[in-house]
Amino acid sequence: MSDIGKAIELYTLIKERLEKNGVCLNQAEVYRKTIDLMKTCSTVEEAMDKIKHSDLYLAPSVALVKDRILSRMKAASENGFDMVNQVYLEKFEKIAGDSGEIYDGDYEIEAERKRTEYLNDLDWFRNLYQKYLEHIYRNDRLVTDRRVNEVKDIPMYRALCPCTDSAYERFIKTVSGEAFEEEKVKPVYSDFSEIKTVKDEILSSGRKYMSDFRTVQVMVYAPDDASGHYTYQEVK
């Protein structure tokens, strides 16, 4: 196999790996175009010269930034961070119009600022749920905030409340001020009745999980010199 053949084989392997991971498709496309160009060349030197004098010379760097932005857009969208997603979308469109935009990283500062706003909101939601539990269990003052209705269906917010769906719905209705009086005072303990129906399954899973672990105490003895090895002794 010639050197150009080996180079094409290497680039093909890289392209296939990028396609397989599903998040580097822009980079995979650059490698595909590069392979097509290389196939028209007789030597590696000829291929490198053609690449250097074509749009493909800077294309890998542009594709890398575009793929990175797309992956972060996906994460922001899945977590309901719409404002963060918008920052990345606007940057992606700028790069599509001018590849030189990849050298301006101010968008990351703006995205981080927006992300911090969301994280602060998550803290607000978690604290609100904590106040709700304190109201239920200790009869503390009920703290209400109608904004919960705006975020209640976002998975990340739902994950902050370790309770059943019915208890979560009651929490939302109570703190938003939409619950009837009898719903507000309904004991949280009633939700345990739902757990009782799968009690045996939970206990069985717990026994299986714990059987995979063993707790031991071990004494560790240091070596006498730098070339020695540590020794270990299990304490019964």
Side-chain angles (χ1 to χ4, degrees), residues 7-70:
I8 291 174
E9 181 180 30
L10 174 61
Y11 274 56
T12 299
L13 290 173
I14 295 174
K15 178 186 74 72
E16 291 174 350
R17 177 175 60 82
L18 292 170
E19 289 174 336
K20 185 177 295 184
N21 69 23
V23 295
C24 298
L25 299 184
N26 284 287
Q27 295 172 78
E29 178 63 12
V30 169
Y31 275 92
R32 185 192 65 75
K33 291 180 178 179
T34 302
I35 292 168
D36 290 342
L37 183 149
M38 295 174 72
K39 287 179 178 178
T40 67
C41 303
S42 301
T43 65
V44 172
E45 290 74 19
E46 179 187 359
M48 293 302 101
D49 185 66
K50 282 189 175 182
I51 291 173
K52 185 176 181 180
H53 293 89
S54 73
D55 293 339
L56 292 173
Y57 189 59
L58 294 177
S61 297
V62 176
L64 173 62
V65 175
K66 291 172 72 174
D67 284 336
R68 183 184 300 138
I69 289 176
L70 287 174

Side-chain angles (χ1 to χ4, degrees), residues 129 132-133 136-137 158 162-171 183 185-198 202:
Y129 182 65
Y132 167 74
L133 294 180
I136 293 294
Y137 289 113
R158 174 63 181 92
C163 60
T164 63
D165 288 342
S166 59
Y168 181 72
E169 182 181 356
R170 187 162 59 253
F171 156 64
E183 292 177 305
V185 298
K186 182 180 178 182
V188 175
Y189 294 112
S190 65
D191 293 301
F192 283 101
S193 61
E194 300 178 31
I195 298 178
K196 289 180 180 179
T197 61
V198 290
I202 294 173

